[in-house]
Amino acid sequence: ELSRLGGGIGTRGPGETKLEVDRRRLQERIAHLSHKLREFTRRREEARRQRKRRGVPLIAVVGYTNAGKTTLLQALARGGEPGEDKFFATLRPLTRRGFLPGVGEVLFTDTVGFIRQMPQELLTAFRATLEEVREADLLIHVLDASEEGAMGRYRVVEELLAELGVEAPRVLALSKADRAAPYDLFYLREKLGGVPVSALKGTGVSELREALAEALLKVGVRPQPWAQAPQYT
């Protein structure tokens, strides 16, 4: 029933079946997308080389999915796309310029949210965002302090980062601190440290900027001449 051309006298045999046609089209589609992905990777590598020549530090925002990464990036960079309250809201790299007192211009890059037992196929599909994690000078690990099981989610992200070979220093941001129970927030700070932040209300953002600047200076990032300019208040 799936034969496009039936066999018989005067024909060349059973012809190409629909399954074979679909398989060939899928292979052509895979080859086309693979080529586009290589081109995309090449352009991003060139962009990274230009960024390094300019000496602009890259800060990647990582964390469990729906931890508030995009909203925090928007607060830090004072721009960008609004975050959404759903899983995998960020499926592509989202980079915005920002400013840190004492350092100068920086780039903040949002990344895909991690999940428990993340399949290798998913890691491969999100390779564009994960490339930014590997190239970053500093990571902001965003942990939803109001979520039940926050400690477990923290460990999931750290284990995945280790699996990916990411060794960049981290600054922990305890997001949605305004929603967290006081005892839970105190427990997380006692165990992990970190800076309590509410990106929506704007509390803790200045303290987080200071912690990021201090961490970048510790890893040898040189302050830019205009590093003390009052860009943000």
Side-chain angles (χ1 to χ4, degrees):
E1 292 178 357
L2 295 177
S3 176
R4 173 176 286 186
L5 176 63
I9 299 174
T11 68
R12 295 186 178 180
E16 196 174 33
T17 66
K18 186 176 184 304
L19 288 176
E20 290 168 342
V21 172
D22 290 346
R23 185 181 297 111
R24 178 168 51 80
R25 288 177 178 171
L26 285 173
Q27 289 171 345
E28 291 171 354
R29 179 68 173 162
I30 290 171
H32 173 69
L33 292 176
S34 297
H35 174 73
K36 289 183 65 177
L37 183 59
R38 287 193 296 270
E39 283 294 306
F40 181 73
T41 301
R42 183 187 61 78
R43 290 197 297 269
R44 293 196 66 83
E45 287 175 351
E46 179 59 30
R48 282 194 289 268
R49 284 194 292 269
Q50 292 180 4
R51 174 183 61 81
K52 288 181 178 179
R53 283 196 293 268
R54 292 175 55 206
V56 180
L58 177 66
I59 301 175
V61 186
V62 302
Y64 207 87
T65 187
N66 205 33
K69 299 183 300 301
T70 303
T71 305
L72 180 59
L73 179 145
Q74 187 182 23
L76 288 169
R78 294 293 176 90
E81 299 177 1
E84 298 181 73
D85 186 16
K86 65 180 184 180
F87 293 147
F88 299 124
T90 301
L91 299 178
R92 58 183 175 82
L94 174 65
T95 302
R96 293 288 180 267
R97 288 187 177 89
F99 182 89
L100 294 179
V103 174
E105 183 184 7
V106 297
L107 293 176
F108 294 102
T109 294
D110 200 0
T111 61
V112 64
F114 293 161
I115 59 172
R116 196 180 307 273
Q117 297 178 344
M118 199 168 191
Q120 185 60 42
E121 293 80 2
L122 203 54
L123 290 173
T124 302
F126 296 148
R127 70 171 70 183
T129 58
L130 298 178
E131 284 174 5
E132 298 301 302
V133 175
R134 294 190 181 97
E135 295 292 330
D137 300 290
L138 181 68
L139 303 183
I140 305 176
H141 182 161
V142 182
L143 179 64
D144 185 352
S146 68
E147 184 69 35
E148 186 177 351
M151 282 292 293
R153 295 188 171 200
Y154 172 83
R155 286 192 290 268
V156 166
V157 174
E158 288 297 326
E159 288 169 2
L160 282 169
L161 290 173
E163 184 179 329
L164 292 169
V166 178
E167 298 179 354
R170 277 85 142 157
V171 171
L172 180 65
L174 300 174
S175 70
K176 307 179 187 180
D178 56 315
R179 302 182 190 176
Y183 175 79
D184 292 337
L185 191 60
F186 175 80
Y187 175 79
L188 291 172
R189 296 197 71 185
E190 283 289 306
K191 291 291 185 179
L192 305 174
V195 181
V197 178
S198 172
L200 289 177
K201 294 188 175 180
T203 57
V205 177
S206 296
E207 290 80 358
L208 181 58
R209 284 200 185 100
E210 293 174 2
L212 295 172
E214 182 180 350
L216 284 175
L217 294 174
K218 281 184 179 180
V219 298
V221 171
R222 295 182 179 180
Q224 298 161 6
W226 53 88
Q228 300 302 328
Q231 298 272 348
Y232 296 125
T233 58

